[in-house]
Amino acid sequence: MCLCNTYVCDSNPKHVAIAMDKFGYKLPYKMYFGGVSALTPLHYLKINGFPNNYWGWGGEDDDIGLRVSLGGMYISRPSVKVGRYKMIKHKLDKGNDVNPKRFNMLAKTRQTWKSDGMNTAEYELISREYMPLYTNITVNIGTEAGLHPPPPPHPPEKAAEKHPEKKAPAEVPVNVPAKITEGYTNKKPTQKTSNHV
């Protein structure tokens, strides 16, 4: 008799990796949803997708598990004899430090899950590759500051006035509305007989 784990979706979201070696092949806590899970597109819609506000390591899988419950579903699991996994030893990815806000964020999931998810996801499509058994989609999700974070603020004018030798004269294109050029000199350049303006 083969005790093989099946990679298929159930009528409810399924937590597949329920017995991992690092937890002594036991479920570490009831709502644990980490490792390997399986959701249908309908399940994904019901939970409003995955949260976007988790940056760094930790908390996002517990948030998803909680969303399953908030979406009116429950987590299905295979037998402990079947859902057994041995984890490959690994370190945290560079730049993927532990998220110190994860517990505070989890405490607010009931209030945030409908306003933070697939309905607010921002991304840019980089590529789409159609393979025989899957489609590989690569996207840019930006950073914690957003997909297109605002540019850093300009230094205050006082700092520029302290060093007038470093301050370059502002160049204003001709035919630009006065509102845009506010604060700049709006004089047209004087034409000279040489090639320079």
Side-chain angles (χ1 to χ4, degrees):
M1 181 174 146
C2 175
L3 294 175
C4 302
N5 208 351
T6 54
Y7 279 70
V8 295
C9 294
D10 286 348
S11 56
N12 280 283
K14 181 164 73 171
H15 181 218
V16 183
I18 68 160
M20 289 199 284
D21 63 331
K22 78 170 187 172
F23 299 129
Y25 293 105
K26 292 183 292 188
L27 200 62
Y29 48 91
K30 187 180 177 184
M31 290 304 293
Y32 182 67
F33 202 61
V36 181
S37 53
L39 298 92
T40 67
L42 181 58
H43 298 154
Y44 193 78
L45 288 169
K46 281 186 175 181
I47 67 170
N48 189 23
F50 299 151
N52 302 307
N53 57 354
Y54 284 83
W55 290 85
W57 181 91
E60 71 288 340
D61 46 5
D62 291 323
D63 189 297
I64 296 163
L66 185 52
R67 285 169 182 248
V68 169
S69 174
L70 294 168
M73 300 172 285
Y74 67 88
I75 297 170
S76 70
R77 293 186 169 99
S79 157
V80 176
K81 293 178 181 178
V82 173
R84 293 172 67 86
Y85 285 77
K86 185 169 178 64
M87 182 177 280
I88 298 169
K89 291 189 190 294
H90 65 288
K91 295 179 181 178
L92 292 181
D93 301 324
K94 188 178 179 182
N96 189 30
D97 298 325
V98 173
N99 180 355
K101 303 181 220 168
R102 65 191 185 281
F103 297 115
N104 291 334
M105 293 166 74
L106 270 170
K108 297 176 185 171
T109 301
R110 291 180 185 278
Q111 290 80 42
T112 60
W113 76 285
K114 287 188 176 179
S115 60
D116 174 46
M118 65 178 294
N119 61 348
T120 55
E122 290 186 344
Y123 63 91
E124 288 177 336
L125 180 66
I126 304 297
S127 66
R128 189 190 314 249
E129 297 175 84
Y130 295 97
M131 309 303 280
L133 298 177
Y134 65 94
T135 300
N136 184 36
I137 299 171
T138 304
V139 297
N140 170 24
I141 58 168
T143 65
E144 191 170 0
L147 183 60
H148 298 291
H154 295 291
E157 284 187 30
K158 288 181 181 178
E161 287 171 7
K162 287 179 184 176
H163 305 284
E165 68 279 357
K166 292 183 179 178
K167 189 175 179 183
E171 292 181 13
V172 179
V174 181
N175 299 329
V176 174
K179 193 169 186 181
I180 294 175
T181 60
E182 205 170 295
Y184 295 95
T185 176
N186 202 12
K187 295 179 182 175
K188 291 184 182 177
T190 307
Q191 295 289 337
K192 296 182 181 178
T193 53
S194 68
N195 292 333
H196 300 287
V197 177

